[in-house]
Amino acid sequence: MQIVPRYYVQSTDDYTFLRADGEGGVDSTPLIVNATPFSTPEAAVDAVQDHCAGEAVVFRTYEVDRA
C-alpha cells in the first residue's frame, strides 16, 4: 500500500469535473467525488485540450493505492 498522486480536471467554463462515462467516453459531473482521476499529469493536460478546449485547471491530489 502506498500513496500515489492523482489528477482531476475541472472546467473553468462551467466548473464541472471530467469523468469516464462507462462507455469509453468522457462526460462531466458537478461533484469531484464523482469525477474520474487521471494517473499522470500528461493525461490530465491532454484531457484539458481534448474535452475542455484548453479552458480547465488540473488539481493534484494524493490517494492510497491498494494494489
Side-chain angles (χ1 to χ4, degrees):
M1 187 166 62
Q2 64 184 26
I3 305 295
V4 295
R6 295 291 182 245
Y7 303 88
Y8 289 89
V9 173
Q10 184 180 25
S11 167
T12 55
D13 180 44
D14 60 6
Y15 306 107
T16 59
F17 295 89
L18 295 184
R19 68 173 176 183
D21 68 2
E23 298 176 2
V26 174
D27 65 3
S28 60
T29 179
L31 302 175
I32 194 169
V33 297
N34 295 330
T36 304
F38 294 87
S39 58
T40 67
E42 295 81 13
V45 169
D46 288 345
V48 168
Q49 295 303 317
D50 295 344
H51 302 288
C52 299
E55 301 295 325
V57 294
V58 176
F59 291 96
R60 180 177 59 196
T61 63
Y62 293 91
E63 298 178 1
V64 175
D65 184 12
R66 301 189 192 289

